[in-house]
Amino acid sequence: MTGRELEWSRGDRAKAAAKLMVAWIALLWLLEVVDVASGHVLDGLGITPRTPSELVDVVPAAFIHFGFAHVAANSVPLLVMGFLAALGGIRRFAMICAAIIVADGLGVWLIAPAHTNTAGASGLIFGLFGYLLVTGFVERRPLGVLVGLLIAAIWGTSILVGLAPTQTGVSWQGHLLGLVAGVAAAFMFKRRSV
């Protein structure tokens, strides 16, 4: 954490995390409204595997959804898990999210089935799940372990179902890669012991 983030009270960090995540969710809904109003032109920002020109869509794909039901399904877990992860500091959270989004997007570009279009925040959600699940253990922080166990109890079954390759219309590759990227982020962005 930076000196300024260390000075913030817990209440200040919670307010900043809440404002950030409410704004993020609002942005996802606004983008879907624009997508519908434009005849789904934003859907083209999804990732089509192994097409070199699609590499520019690795980041935007995490913000685009295929319909309001898709955004709705991602909103609550992203809001909650994003809020919890952002409590550790907004700058740190931004780096964690960037690492997950880029790693997940590049992985989808490399291994997703040909002629598919992958988009949505679920790769990031799976990444945040993985991050929250292990970061308490990695940093040896009892509260972090408790948060990870609570997140596992609430969303663990959904996460396992989302990893099943038998679901049609769901990018289990994006989910798996996001989860792996989140676990890696817990090690990459480990806080130093004070």
Side-chain angles (χ1 to χ4, degrees):
M1 281 194 264
T2 66
R4 179 155 191 243
E5 287 173 330
L6 287 173
E7 294 171 13
W8 282 19
S9 70
R10 285 186 178 149
D12 291 338
R13 284 195 303 257
K15 285 178 190 173
K19 285 178 185 177
L20 173 64
M21 292 317 300
V22 167
W24 195 318
I25 299 302
L27 173 64
L28 297 184
W29 282 88
L30 176 62
L31 287 170
E32 189 53 33
V33 167
V34 169
D35 187 44
V36 169
S38 68
H40 300 284
V41 74
L42 295 182
D43 288 353
L45 295 175
I47 301 166
T48 302
R50 293 167 300 285
T51 303
S53 63
E54 291 291 307
L55 285 170
V56 298
D57 293 336
V58 163
V59 173
F63 295 88
I64 303 304
H65 289 81
F66 300 129
F68 290 112
H70 191 198
V71 179
N74 284 337
S75 291
V76 172
L78 180 59
L79 180 69
V80 174
M81 289 186 226
F83 171 77
L84 291 171
L87 287 174
I90 301 299
R91 183 175 295 146
R92 183 170 184 258
F93 174 69
M95 292 187 298
I96 290 164
C97 288
I100 292 169
I101 289 170
V102 170
D104 181 57
L106 289 174
V108 165
W109 186 85
L110 282 171
I111 70 166
H115 312 295
T116 58
N117 185 13
T118 302
S122 58
L124 176 60
I125 291 166
F126 277 69
L128 290 172
F129 176 87
Y131 172 80
L132 291 168
L133 186 66
V134 302
T135 196
F137 294 100
V138 169
E139 296 178 356
R140 299 177 190 225
R141 295 177 187 258
L143 182 58
V145 171
L146 183 62
V147 167
L149 294 174
L150 182 62
I151 289 296
I154 294 170
W155 277 290
T157 302
S158 297
I159 294 295
L160 288 175
V161 169
L163 294 173
T166 55
Q167 292 187 35
T168 55
V170 175
S171 175
W172 65 268
Q173 298 92 344
H175 294 171
L176 177 62
L177 292 163
L179 182 65
V180 170
V183 170
F187 288 92
M188 286 172 41
F189 298 102
K190 177 182 174 183
R191 284 182 273 220
R192 295 186 187 117
S193 298
V194 184

